[in-house]
Amino acid sequence: MRVSLKWLKEYVDINISPEELAERLTLSGLAVEGMEIPGKELSGVYVGKIFNIEAHPNADKLIICQISTGGEENYQIVTGATNVKVGDVVPVALENAKLSGGLVIKRAKLRGVESRGMLCSGAELGMDVSILPTEQAQGIMILDSKLPLGMDIKEALDLDDVVLILELTPNRGDCLSMIGVAREVATLLDKRLSLPESITAQENGTIEGFRVDIKDEHLCKRYVAKHFTKVKVAQSPEWIQRRLRAAGVRPISNIVDVTNYVMLELGQPMHAFDFDTIRGDIVVRTANKGERLVSLDGNERTLSEEMLVIADSSGPVAVAGVMGGLVTEVTEKTTNILLESAWFNPISIRRTSKSLGLRSESSSRFEKGIDLTGCQRAADRAAELLLEIGAGELSPGNIDNYPGIQPEKTICLRPERMNQILGINISVNEASDILTRLEFKVEKKDSMLLVSAPGHRTDVSIEEDLIEEVARIYGYDKMPYTLPFGASTQGIRTRIQALELLVKDCLASLGLNEVVTYSFTNPNFLEKNLISKESPLARLVKVHNPLSEGHSVMRTTLMPSLLEILSKNFSHRVSDMGIFELGKVFIPVENEKLPEENHILAIAAMGNTISGWNYKGKSFDFYYLKGIMETLFQRFAISGYTLSRDLQGTIFHPGKSARILIKDKCLGTFGEIHPGIIENYDLPAGVVGMEIDLNLFAEISVNQIKYRALPKYPGISRDLALVVNNEVVVQDIIKSIRKNSGQFLREIKIFDVYRGK
């Protein structure tokens, strides 16, 4: 929000410097992010009038202008401007004048003709060219002919004004207006607030048999309309244009400028329709499915059924609170207008604006909430301004469709509660005075205050809101400060967090790369990974507000996410890759709202390990993955586990995979991925993977390995060659040896397998 101090001073007497005012506003909760003085670099530029123009004798594109600045001396200036004529009032930079950017004007000769200054464009005066007409920004600026000659251009165009740039919080929509900011300043300085008076108030009635019908009172609680005839669309007076430019708004025409002026002054967005283009009565309703509207920016927009529109018998003529339609736009041919001043539901406006990708000054105010009681006041103010500038004649009658007048809400403020929260002692009278200055209605009852919030303070609804109002006006800088005290605690990682970091370090040292994937996934992963509907992995948690269909359920396994990564890399000719992820899977719990979250470690690999000039990489196969598992278990002192190959119904190959069992619990699964799944992901044969339950892993692991002295005597190794049936599992042989060996057995390692006659 850009606040012009010249404009602000019309409503409140400000007797402090702009810097002090900015500081006090910031301390009260209205943060001043910046301060601008548009003409701070300008000097020696005055209002002048062209009384003669001659062609340059030596240059076809130059002209010689004779300029008067109101004094006895006239000035000859050579210019290449094409948009000036005799009688134009223009900005004149005389000799030694300083322009925006530090440019100093000197007397010079242009093609043999002396020039004693320069005629200035808006850009050369340091004005924001985005809010100026093109010919004013790049060409010479044509001024109001009523300006006195010789007047300093900074005073003439309000370039000596100070503009405060406010960064408002979303709850302070009332300060998106000059009156709202003036109300805050008046309260802080304990000054009287002077509001503009409207003299065009009319009794409610009809406008030439014209009606406004509100179909949804929840989305539109009030609609005020006024009618003007004999409208003359032209430029606004210079004083209106100056104020709009100071607020960062580009002047367009007298009708549109007045609606913008009232929006900036009172915070009430308004819209003007070309009355002759409206067919029948106005109906405020939600759009029908598939209805279309060409908005003022020239784009055709498809409307949905939840969007609020202003419609006539032919269809929508405006998107309520966001933007008007092109058909009813006010143009130079307009002779009758309908002024709209309404209240629209903030949530509805925000959703519509977001859905259409269309934000406007109006929508930004409506979505923060406007004063329901101020619609009529804004319409009266706009009508008064239009009459004042002679833009048209006001028709009899005034429509104010106000179906459900909102009762005032009374809030109880307890002084003892206020002082308890703030930690200070503010008297009842002082709190009452602060709230009264903020235009709250205050009634003392016993030891309490009964407070009613004004219509413009839609953000105040509970006792704590009132306490905040008292605190910020009283002054946060006046609050006593104390150092916090109490027992301090040392922040440490949980066991699972510490374990995850150690596991990551271990796997990274083994040549694997960590990846992070979404917890959301596509429900088609079940079919792609051959998971039956009866499988526990098929019990999915659905997301109520998914980002997309591909992220509509929570994952029950990490392996599909890793296979997607391998597949994408393989399609880009990366054939050697080993990755891992530590993440959560989500299992629904019956009769519980929240699912069970389990920590899982998943590994997937394809191709070979990294090769060098003097060594060859090894294949990522079942045995290499088993070695990674054993190294990981050795690092965390996990022993006593067994392997089982009964894996029917999993995503792994039934004959080339194993379950890791410990104390009859399944710690994890590893092996080659099922060939059918490999085909679904377009991966090469032999891709391996592993999933380990980290919660169970944490229970049985040992983070700190204890030291044990080396044996006194050298070790003794024995080779045992055993002839066994081909169906016997190596794990069973090792288990049998450990069971029957003594305490001195340290290691069992299989070093050869022979099959034959």
Side-chain angles (χ1 to χ4, degrees), residues 491-756:
I492 60 173
R493 295 186 178 94
T494 62
R495 176 169 173 75
I496 194 75
Q497 289 173 335
L499 179 70
E500 286 182 348
L501 290 177
L502 294 173
V503 169
K504 289 179 182 180
D505 289 342
C506 180
L507 295 178
S509 68
L510 294 174
L512 301 179
N513 294 310
E514 184 185 6
V515 298
V516 179
T517 61
Y518 285 112
S519 297
F520 315 114
T521 189
N522 197 316
N524 70 5
F525 87 92
L526 298 175
E527 181 181 354
K528 199 171 183 179
N529 289 272
L530 307 181
I531 299 174
S532 66
K533 294 182 179 180
E534 293 75 24
S535 171
L537 299 180
R539 297 174 59 230
L540 304 178
V541 177
K542 295 183 179 180
V543 181
H544 289 302
N545 55 340
L547 299 173
S548 66
E549 179 63 27
H551 298 84
S552 59
V553 297
M554 306 300 289
R555 63 188 177 188
T556 55
T557 171
L558 267 60
M559 195 57 63
S561 300
L562 300 191
L563 294 178
E564 288 283 359
I565 293 176
L566 293 184
S567 176
K568 187 172 183 179
N569 280 272
F570 186 71
S571 67
H572 288 77
R573 300 184 180 181
V574 178
S575 57
D576 300 325
M577 193 173 190
I579 57 176
F580 73 92
E581 179 178 12
L582 284 84
K584 291 181 179 179
V585 296
F586 302 84
I587 310 299
V589 180
E590 191 173 354
N591 299 325
E592 294 288 340
K593 290 184 178 180
L594 296 178
E596 180 183 350
E597 300 182 21
N598 294 333
H599 293 262
I600 299 294
L601 163 64
I603 300 174
M606 63 180 177
N608 301 316
T609 62
I610 299 175
S611 300
W613 68 272
N614 60 346
Y615 63 92
K616 186 177 181 180
K618 295 183 179 180
S619 173
F620 276 124
D621 57 8
F622 175 89
Y623 297 104
Y624 194 92
L625 194 62
K626 182 172 179 285
I628 290 177
M629 177 206 74
E630 292 174 342
T631 303
L632 183 65
F633 285 6
Q634 183 181 10
R635 165 64 181 82
F636 292 95
I638 294 177
S639 59
Y641 59 88
T642 59
L643 300 179
S644 168
R645 59 181 177 183
D646 183 17
L647 289 172
Q648 296 295 332
T650 71
I651 64 176
F652 294 95
H653 192 299
K656 299 180 181 180
S657 55
R659 284 192 299 171
I660 309 167
L661 303 176
I662 188 164
K663 298 180 180 178
D664 297 327
K665 293 182 180 180
C666 182
L667 179 59
T669 310
F670 73 96
E672 286 191 16
I673 304 299
H674 194 286
I677 299 175
I678 293 295
E679 184 178 349
N680 290 339
Y681 283 95
D682 293 327
L683 286 168
V687 175
V688 293
M690 177 191 297
E691 277 195 338
I692 291 178
D693 184 343
L694 269 185
N695 292 328
L696 180 57
F697 188 93
E699 290 180 15
I700 61 177
S701 66
V702 178
N703 282 355
Q704 294 181 347
I705 300 175
K706 295 181 179 180
Y707 167 78
R708 186 170 60 184
L710 293 174
K712 295 180 180 180
Y713 307 103
I716 301 172
S717 61
R718 290 287 183 267
D719 293 348
L720 299 181
L722 306 176
V723 180
V724 296
N725 190 294
N726 195 44
E727 300 299 321
V728 176
V729 181
V730 172
Q731 186 68 35
D732 292 340
I733 299 175
I734 294 175
K735 184 177 179 181
S736 180
I737 293 174
R738 285 194 181 278
K739 182 178 179 182
N740 294 282
S741 63
Q743 59 176 325
F744 299 113
L745 179 63
R746 289 289 177 265
E747 184 181 18
I748 303 173
K749 185 182 295 183
I750 179 170
F751 64 91
D752 190 26
V753 175
Y754 171 76
R755 289 185 177 90

Side-chain angles (χ1 to χ4, degrees), residues 112-326:
V113 177
E114 185 179 57
S115 180
R116 300 182 57 190
M118 188 176 81
L119 307 185
C120 302
S121 67
E124 290 160 341
L125 296 176
M127 302 177 71
D128 184 357
V129 297
S130 65
I131 58 175
L132 289 174
T134 304
E135 65 275 7
Q136 299 277 29
Q138 305 302 330
I140 302 304
M141 193 167 190
I142 309 301
L143 305 176
D144 187 351
S145 59
K146 297 178 182 178
L147 289 173
L149 300 184
M151 187 179 189
D152 192 308
I153 200 66
K154 292 193 291 185
E155 183 181 355
L157 297 180
D158 283 347
L159 298 179
D160 56 347
D161 192 9
V162 177
V163 178
L164 302 181
I165 302 174
L166 303 185
E167 188 69 28
L168 300 174
T169 51
N171 65 308
R172 293 309 305 270
D174 61 300
C175 288
L176 286 171
S177 67
M178 295 299 300
I179 294 298
V181 177
R183 188 180 291 113
E184 292 290 312
V185 173
T187 303
L188 292 171
L189 303 183
D190 198 10
K191 298 285 186 178
R192 180 177 174 273
L193 180 65
S194 300
L195 297 177
E197 296 182 0
S198 299
I199 59 175
T200 59
Q202 299 167 291
E203 293 183 2
N204 286 343
T206 59
I207 300 174
E208 298 180 358
F210 181 78
R211 294 178 62 250
V212 173
D213 187 15
I214 299 176
K215 293 296 185 181
D216 193 328
E217 297 178 6
H218 173 67
L219 298 181
C220 177
K221 292 185 178 180
R222 191 174 188 182
Y223 195 103
V224 177
K226 287 182 178 292
H227 179 235
F228 270 80
T229 61
K230 299 181 181 180
V231 171
K232 299 177 183 178
V233 179
Q235 282 192 351
S236 301
E238 182 62 29
W239 65 272
I240 289 183
Q241 294 192 44
R242 289 200 303 268
R243 290 185 174 177
L244 292 180
R245 287 196 295 262
V249 177
R250 182 169 63 91
I252 299 174
S253 68
N254 50 1
I255 306 300
V256 177
D257 290 353
V258 164
T259 60
N260 286 333
Y261 186 96
V262 173
M263 177 184 69
L264 294 170
E265 183 181 56
L266 300 178
Q268 169 69 53
M270 300 190 66
H271 186 66
F273 297 94
D274 186 328
F275 188 76
D276 294 330
T277 62
I278 297 176
R279 302 289 177 258
D281 296 327
I282 285 290
V283 180
V284 185
R285 61 171 173 83
T286 53
N288 297 323
K289 187 176 182 180
E291 278 190 313
R292 296 175 179 269
L293 172 71
V294 179
S295 53
L296 285 173
D297 57 6
N299 295 320
E300 185 179 56
R301 306 191 182 271
T302 302
L303 309 176
S304 57
E305 294 173 299
E306 70 274 4
M307 295 180 182
L308 188 68
V309 298
I310 312 299
D312 61 9
S313 60
S314 64
V317 295
V319 181
V322 180
M323 186 172 284
L326 193 62

